[in-house]
Amino acid sequence: MAVETKIAATPAPMVVGKPQYDVKDLSLADRGKARIEWAGNEMPVLASIRDRFAKDKPLDGLTVAACLHVTSETANLMIALKAGGANIALCASNPLSTQDDVAAALVQHYGIGTFAIKGEGNDTYYQHIHATLDARPHMTMDDGADTVGLIHSERRDLLGNILGGTEETTTGVIRLKAMAKDGVLGYPIVAVNDAQTKHMFDNRYGTGQSTIDGIVRATNILLAGRKFVVAGYGWCGKGLALRARGIGANVIVTEIDPLKALEAHMDGFTVLPMNEAAKVGDVFCTVTGDIHVLRPEHFASMKDGAIIANSGHFNVEIDLESLGKMASTKREVRDYVEEYVLDGKRLYVLGEGRLINLASAEGHPASVMDMSFANQALSAEWMNQNYTTLQKDVYSVPLAIDQEIARLKLAAVGVGIDTLTDEQERYLSSWQMGT
Ligand code: ADE
């Protein structure tokens, strides 16, 4: 089916008159706008795409349901998509990650239907996803695959209307690949996370810096000299371990994958099973993407005063339900810090076990989101151009897009590189030349 047919068949309610929205307080809009502009200064690659989109309108008439962390960086992506002709309905991909002033500005200053309130409960969180789906999207843009999950469970009527989607994060991509493997994925999706200009920078340097930022803002503790346990040595764990070491912590890595464990060992970190790390750690941070990485046997052996945080996508990595049952009391001691007392020992959980870099801080810096969201914008354009030839499967970002983003970012930061000489090109494609 041609895209024109799909678009003509469905109304785009978000652009008719005032957008519908649910945000905390519209009076915060001016502050949010200033913040969006500040982030925009650090997003030159996305800005160049936005300017081209404004001329070419590659998303003209397309309704996009976006479920992303509602931050100043995401706002710049939404503005670029809108410049490209898209109608957008945006909601939060985590109940604690919304920047309320940014959400207000999106509604008030940019006419983007936004449904997101920091601290919203689970019911409101899902109501907000439903609200974006009421716009009858042609495309989904997810961070964690909650929109895709809802469409495939409660909103299956929308499947025929959707041409494709994009997914931002490791956890979401894992879910989508499982759906595709089981033959239940209803439309093609681009795995933005798999682009090198995404995970090598956002996951590593973004998560590394913003997680330390979140832990420090929540607690104001000195990290130098502390034993800092990083659970998981994927791209996010690598970045976090690197930055924790940089600030002076003694870093311990836990892993289940022998290759990653070996890499952590040779990168100079202490590698221990969690049972042993639990006894000595001062600060714990999970970044594995899996469930119950910290559980009762670990809580039982932790030291008095241990601090526990998560920077993985979902709040499942720390078994808080069991911790709650083990504790005699629980109280909030500072914003984003809850004290659990068990047998006279105090354990401190940050940000309700939700990703701490967005709960108590502002997420990844704009400079790194520039590349992630350039991938989102160009993947949305690519999907709109190519969906008729695609299967109901998960696709990588085309290499040409990845390379173009790297080139644009290098130009923006003023870094020049070499090109192969003709002789070098010939050498690389030959097999006769030896010693
Ligand atoms: N994920 C991590 N950091 C983010 C940010 N600043 N904006 C949107 N999504 C994010």
Side-chain angles (χ1 to χ4, degrees):
M1 194 195 300
V3 71
E4 291 76 21
T5 320
K6 278 189 183 237
I7 288 168
T10 52
M14 289 298 149
V15 287
V16 180
K18 253 200 168 283
Q20 298 163 28
Y21 59 85
D22 188 17
V23 298
K24 184 174 179 201
D25 180 358
L26 282 183
S27 74
L28 303 173
D30 288 353
R31 204 178 71 181
K33 182 165 183 282
R35 205 162 157 185
I36 292 167
E37 289 166 359
W38 174 258
N41 293 336
E42 293 277 308
M43 303 181 85
V45 178
L46 186 62
S48 69
I49 293 167
R50 179 199 62 212
D51 293 347
R52 178 174 66 75
F53 274 17
K55 277 196 242 99
D56 299 350
K57 300 284 176 201
L59 308 177
D60 207 16
L62 198 76
T63 296
V64 180
C67 179
L68 301 167
H69 301 298
V70 179
T71 64
S72 52
E73 293 77 26
T74 298
N76 279 283
L77 171 61
M78 297 299 109
I79 292 163
L81 299 180
K82 191 173 178 189
N87 314 312
I88 302 155
L90 171 68
C91 67
S93 57
N94 185 291
L96 273 191
S97 62
T98 298
Q99 295 167 359
D100 288 316
D101 50 2
V102 167
L106 280 168
V107 171
Q108 185 88 338
H109 293 298
Y110 300 97
I112 291 173
T114 303
F115 305 85
I117 298 173
K118 187 171 175 100
E120 62 195 18
N122 251 28
D123 287 351
T124 309
Y125 175 77
Y126 281 103
Q127 274 163 23
H128 283 163
I129 302 181
H130 275 294
T132 67
L133 295 179
D134 291 342
R136 296 195 61 77
H138 308 106
M139 189 178 284
T140 58
M141 191 170 270
D142 243 344
D143 185 341
D146 277 346
T147 304
V148 171
L150 208 58
I151 289 169
H152 286 72
S153 53
E154 296 174 36
R155 302 294 295 265
R156 295 191 64 83
D157 58 300
L158 296 173
L159 278 171
N161 198 57
I162 298 174
L163 60 87
T166 64
E167 168 55 52
E168 170 80 4
T169 200
T170 320
T171 303
V173 170
I174 289 169
R175 291 200 162 177
L176 296 171
K177 287 186 175 165
M179 289 174 81
K181 186 160 165 274
D182 286 353
V184 297
L185 187 62
Y187 53 89
I189 301 199
V190 182
V192 168
N193 186 70
D194 291 357
Q196 295 184 72
T197 45
K198 200 279 185 181
H199 64 259
M200 279 170 59
F201 304 96
D202 169 315
N203 301 26
R204 179 166 40 175
Y205 303 117
T207 305
Q209 177 168 322
S210 63
T211 302
I212 296 290
D213 186 16
I215 292 171
V216 169
R217 285 201 213 189
T219 62
N220 197 28
I221 58 162
L222 184 76
L223 287 172
R226 304 263 174 148
K227 290 202 168 57
F228 192 110
V229 180
V230 177
Y233 204 64
W235 287 101
C236 295
K238 276 186 227 208
L240 178 55
L242 194 67
R243 291 295 174 255
R245 176 157 70 189
I247 208 163
N250 293 311
V251 179
I252 298 167
V253 171
T254 70
E255 248 305 336
I256 48 86
D257 178 331
L259 290 170
K260 289 182 181 154
L262 189 58
E263 189 181 8
H265 169 71
M266 297 232 179
D267 284 345
F269 297 109
T270 303
V271 179
L272 289 176
M274 187 57 91
N275 275 342
E276 288 177 37
K279 294 181 204 153
V280 294
D282 298 304
V283 181
F284 295 80
C285 189
T286 52
V287 260
T288 70
D290 211 341
I291 193 166
H292 295 174
V293 177
L294 290 175
R295 44 186 187 267
E297 67 258 36
H298 305 129
F299 304 135
S301 55
M302 282 179 187
K303 297 191 297 191
D304 178 37
I307 289 170
I308 305 169
N310 165 53
S311 208
H313 184 80
F314 285 118
N315 60 335
V316 296
E317 303 209 15
I318 306 166
D319 182 358
L320 284 181
E321 202 182 316
S322 297
L323 181 59
K325 286 185 190 142
M326 291 167 80
S328 52
T329 62
K330 174 182 154 189
R331 65 180 178 128
E332 187 179 75
V333 290
R334 300 166 48 99
D335 287 351
Y336 307 109
V337 184
E338 276 176 333
E339 178 188 75
Y340 289 74
V341 177
L342 24 158
D343 295 332
K345 169 174 89 178
R346 296 157 305 167
L347 300 182
Y348 296 103
V349 174
L350 308 189
E352 301 166 18
R354 297 192 187 275
L355 20 73
I356 196 62
N357 60 337
L358 281 141
S360 61
E362 295 171 69
H364 303 353
S367 168
V368 87
M369 295 312 294
D370 188 24
M371 289 187 283
S372 309
F373 286 164
N375 273 293
Q376 282 283 7
L378 295 183
S379 296
E381 178 184 37
W382 179 83
M383 178 59 76
N384 196 29
Q385 288 164 347
N386 292 286
Y387 72 94
T388 50
T389 63
L390 303 179
Q391 309 298 310
K392 295 169 179 175
D393 208 345
V394 180
Y395 287 84
S396 297
V397 175
L399 186 60
I401 290 182
D402 219 351
Q403 287 175 334
E404 176 63 5
I405 290 170
R407 264 191 293 273
L408 288 169
K409 191 68 175 176
L410 282 172
V413 293
V415 174
I417 60 170
D418 291 322
T419 47
L420 293 172
T421 63
D422 290 347
E423 182 192 27
Q424 288 171 330
E425 292 255 22
R426 275 196 306 281
Y427 180 79
L428 289 178
S429 58
S430 75
W431 53 271
Q432 292 99 338
M433 264 189 265
T435 317

